[in-house]
Amino acid sequence: MRYSDGGGLSAEGRARREKLRLQAAQMFEQGIKPVRVSRLLRVSTKSAYQWRRRWRAGGPAALASKGPGGTACRLDEVQLGRLRAALDLGPAAYGWREDQRWTLARVAALIARLFHVRYTLRGTSCLLHRIGFSPQVPVHRAAERDEDAIAAWRAKTWAKVRG
């Protein structure tokens, strides 16, 4: 089972699903038809037919879990630690001075610069989630903001508009 955000089953989910497939294998050995297996195990008939096809080709071992999907991370734990530290320094430390926000494109460029490994924007997003970063919308506030002038404007102008 795969989801649109690139996720998948957890280890517990894979174990639960494997248990279902092995129960189906026992039922196939008893001669139970895939349609009945699907009803008994509350899975789709398509899954039951696929499981039976795999079971016929390789026995119960063919229904064992193959582990998590996807590719392994191309950065090791030391590199992930270096990436976290680099992100904590902020974009200005790496030449992006126009604003102080990390974008996926900037992080991907930083990874390429530091580790000589290229990531797509989606891959960069997945990597950031894996190391504990989440997307956030920063509050934009001008550095030149004058709170006293704003308060005076509200007191004078806003009172006329509301009044």
Side-chain angles (χ1 to χ4, degrees):
M1 184 184 301
R2 295 286 173 236
Y3 301 96
S4 60
D5 66 354
L9 293 176
S10 64
E12 296 83 26
R14 281 191 306 277
R16 187 176 58 249
R17 194 71 173 173
E18 181 179 32
K19 184 178 173 185
L20 277 178
R21 290 191 303 268
L22 295 178
Q23 286 176 344
Q26 291 173 347
M27 292 178 184
F28 296 144
E29 288 172 356
Q30 297 169 6
I32 300 175
K33 302 281 185 200
V35 174
R36 179 132 170 84
V37 168
S38 71
R39 267 191 250 123
L40 291 171
L41 297 179
R42 300 179 67 181
V43 298
S44 70
T45 53
K46 180 179 178 183
S47 291
Y49 276 105
Q50 288 175 337
W51 294 347
R52 185 179 71 168
R53 193 175 317 117
R54 286 174 40 202
W55 170 76
R56 282 181 172 168
L63 297 176
S65 176
K66 293 177 179 68
T71 59
C73 183
R74 291 183 279 166
L75 301 179
D76 61 28
E77 288 302 317
V78 173
Q79 290 172 320
L80 290 175
R82 282 183 53 206
L83 178 60
R84 275 190 211 95
L87 292 172
D88 288 340
L89 291 176
Y94 294 94
W96 291 290
R97 289 183 172 78
E98 56 273 6
D99 64 41
Q100 292 299 300
R101 289 180 285 177
W102 281 115
T103 63
L104 290 177
R106 288 179 179 180
V107 175
L110 178 68
I111 292 168
R113 189 184 308 173
L114 294 177
F115 309 113
H116 306 289
V117 175
R118 297 233 178 256
Y119 273 90
T120 63
L121 296 182
R122 183 173 173 89
T124 302
S125 176
C126 291
L127 178 67
L128 290 174
H129 282 280
R130 185 180 303 145
I131 64 174
F133 286 86
S134 62
Q136 297 179 5
V137 178
V139 175
H140 293 283
R141 191 166 287 222
E144 303 85 21
R145 185 177 168 110
D146 184 356
E147 294 295 335
D148 295 333
I150 293 170
W153 176 86
R154 280 189 184 140
K156 186 171 71 173
T157 308
W158 191 245
K160 289 179 190 175
V161 171
R162 289 185 61 185

